[in-house]
Amino acid sequence: MPFYIVNRNEQSNGDHEVHERNNCTYLPATHNQVDLGWHADCRGAVAEAKKYYRQSNGCFWCCNACHTS
């Protein structure tokens, strides 16, 4: 089961990106990461991220199944 984080900094469109911590080359700096914990898939991680940031989205590169345009 992968461990996920969400970026504290929002993207230009307002999204806070969710990343798979051990499987992404586009992670934010450590001090900008909020730990979301272990999840079976990105859907659970994005749901958890929305508890912190209403506008959360999966990373295009590591959470593509949860990425929306």
Side-chain angles (χ1 to χ4, degrees), residues 22-44:
N22 296 322
N23 193 29
C24 191
T25 56
Y26 296 96
L27 292 175
T30 305
H31 64 274
N32 289 325
Q33 297 179 16
V34 176
D35 289 346
L36 299 174
W38 304 95
H39 295 274
D41 59 33
C42 62
R43 286 171 185 77

